[in-house]
Amino acid sequence: MSAHMITAQWTDIPDDADELALVGGGFRTYRCACGAPLADRVAAELHAMETDQCSACLGSADEEVVPGFVRRCPACAATGRRGVQLVWEVAHGQAERMISLAFVRSLVERFDGPFRLSEVADAVRVQLDLPLGRLPVGPRVRDLLRELEAAGELVMVSAPDQLLRGASVVLYRDPQWQRV
Ligand SMILES: [Zn+2]
Ligand SMILES: [Zn+2]
């Protein structure tokens, strides 16, 4: 156990809790094994950064999105380390520059029927000659597909894989869209 192991504990969550605040780290109390006072989420993130830990998962390498649902921390590739988080942030920026909306739209135009996020991400990797794991292609492609969906060019055709908290905090593993 590290000297700065930061842990979070859930407080009572009201039924009408703000979902954004909930998944963003609210409704928790934070403490560090070193005894540093961590009054809120911001203090916990700062303490994680100054002790070389990922500010998203606070060094734990995973993320409890809602009580009982834990996933690998996407910000630090589940390492818990600040250095990896910073490298990954740069990679996200690089993916944003390399993968444009127009590019993804042109790939999507090849599909007549429904297609999966993973199929478009694979097509992007092939076109740009990117090995798997080199850049966060999936998250970038997902953002752009959601943008096309918001613009009315695509419609999501899959149901969520899991309802994490009612119908408002839901999980899609590999969603499908279709062109309108
Ligand atoms: Zn500490
Ligand atoms: Zn992390």
Side-chain angles (χ1 to χ4, degrees):
M1 183 171 121
S2 102
H4 294 288
M5 193 172 89
I6 301 172
T7 48
Q9 199 165 16
W10 291 97
T11 57
D12 281 337
I13 304 169
D15 285 339
D16 61 350
D18 179 344
E19 314 290 3
L20 271 181
L22 179 72
V23 299
F27 301 100
R28 281 159 255 212
T29 55
Y30 296 93
R31 67 176 62 197
C32 182
C34 74
L38 303 176
D40 54 17
R41 174 79 199 179
V42 173
E45 289 184 9
L46 285 174
H47 191 59
M49 284 188 241
E50 70 197 10
T51 54
D52 265 333
Q53 304 186 81
C54 169
S55 62
C57 61
L58 308 175
S60 68
D62 52 36
E63 184 183 35
E64 191 167 16
V65 185
V66 296
F69 181 78
V70 179
R71 64 172 181 180
R72 290 158 47 87
C73 177
C76 62
T79 61
R81 283 161 43 207
R82 177 73 178 149
V84 178
Q85 182 189 18
L86 291 175
V87 167
W88 212 226
E89 269 173 23
V90 171
H92 272 281
Q94 208 179 341
E96 265 173 47
R97 285 190 301 276
M98 284 179 78
I99 306 166
S100 71
L101 187 67
F103 176 48
V104 165
R105 186 187 283 124
S106 73
L107 293 175
V108 160
E109 276 165 7
R110 301 176 184 176
F111 295 98
D112 286 324
F115 55 86
R116 294 191 171 277
L117 168 61
S118 57
E119 292 178 287
V120 184
D122 286 344
V124 166
R125 285 193 200 91
V126 169
Q127 290 286 315
L128 299 180
D129 199 16
L130 286 170
L132 202 67
R134 165 74 182 76
L135 281 184
V137 171
R140 172 62 176 162
V141 169
R142 185 193 53 220
D143 288 348
L144 293 174
L145 292 175
R146 296 226 79 148
E147 233 176 86
L148 292 172
E149 181 190 343
E153 296 182 41
L154 299 180
V155 57
M156 191 184 269
V157 293
S158 51
D161 291 294
Q162 213 172 335
L163 303 180
L164 299 180
R165 191 179 157 79
S168 46
V169 184
V170 299
L171 181 77
Y172 291 96
R173 288 207 167 76
D174 191 12
Q176 278 186 308
W177 284 268
Q178 191 164 2
R179 285 194 295 137
V180 173

